[in-house]
Amino acid sequence: MYRPYNETQEDLDNENRVAQILSQKWKTEVLKLSPALYTVDWSFSRNGVVTAFGEYKKRSKKYNEVMLSAAKLMKMQQLHDFTGLPVLLIIEWPDGIWYWDMSADKWEGNFVVSGNPRGQNGDIEPTVMIPVSKFRNVNL
């Protein structure tokens, strides 16, 4: 079934801004990846060699847990298994930019049915709830 693409220009502007911050902070090149070919937003590289991958999310509130689609986590795990490279979930909250290296900290929690009740196909689905305590601040 068809699922609408919900990314707005504002979303892309936020993503580009954070990519520039991470590029400077981590001294890496950040490449926006095709959503049709890759399951994450970015690859990180140095001297043309890919060193990691990242999925970016912006949230207006910080809760005790981050909800992530189980399908997204599975695809991130597959990307790590195939490449052997770190795969980061990068979240921008009002208090800064944070990341979780899912490849170094395997998911061992429960799967729950959750999601956004917009009424679109696939909005309610199996998800994982990742404790905020697993995330590290980019500025630390």
Side-chain angles (χ1 to χ4, degrees):
M1 264 188 147
Y2 171 75
R3 182 171 179 178
Y5 191 64
N6 294 311
E7 196 168 51
T8 66
Q9 186 59 51
E10 182 181 3
D11 294 334
L12 292 172
D13 291 344
N14 287 326
E15 190 175 301
N16 289 333
R17 179 181 47 77
V18 170
Q20 289 176 357
I21 291 169
L22 295 178
S23 177
Q24 291 174 354
K25 181 77 175 169
W26 291 344
K27 298 178 181 18
T28 185
E29 297 167 19
V30 182
L31 176 66
K32 172 72 171 164
L33 299 174
S34 165
L37 298 175
Y38 294 90
T39 60
V40 295
D41 293 311
W42 301 319
S43 68
F44 299 97
S45 63
R46 289 193 183 96
N47 301 316
V49 176
V50 176
T51 57
F53 295 93
E55 171 70 10
Y56 169 76
K57 306 281 186 196
K58 180 177 172 71
R59 297 292 180 254
S60 59
K61 287 186 175 183
K62 191 172 188 179
Y63 297 99
N64 292 331
E65 296 175 309
V66 173
M67 180 180 63
L68 183 67
S69 161
K72 175 66 78 173
L73 181 64
M74 178 185 68
K75 291 173 184 175
M76 291 170 71
Q77 182 65 51
Q78 289 171 337
L79 184 59
H80 167 67
D81 291 345
F82 180 72
T83 64
L85 297 172
V87 181
L88 311 175
L89 176 58
I90 300 157
I91 309 275
E92 182 180 13
W93 282 300
D95 67 348
I97 302 167
W98 299 70
Y99 70 96
W100 173 54
D101 182 353
M102 59 74 50
S103 49
D105 183 16
K106 301 281 189 226
W107 176 252
E108 296 179 358
N110 294 321
F111 295 89
V112 298
V113 174
S114 188
N116 186 328
R118 291 179 291 213
Q120 294 177 359
N121 177 40
D123 278 347
I124 304 298
E125 63 181 320
T127 62
V128 295
M129 304 301 282
I130 306 162
V132 168
S133 61
K134 290 187 173 283
F135 287 78
R136 296 179 55 195
N137 191 304
V138 166
N139 292 318
L140 297 180

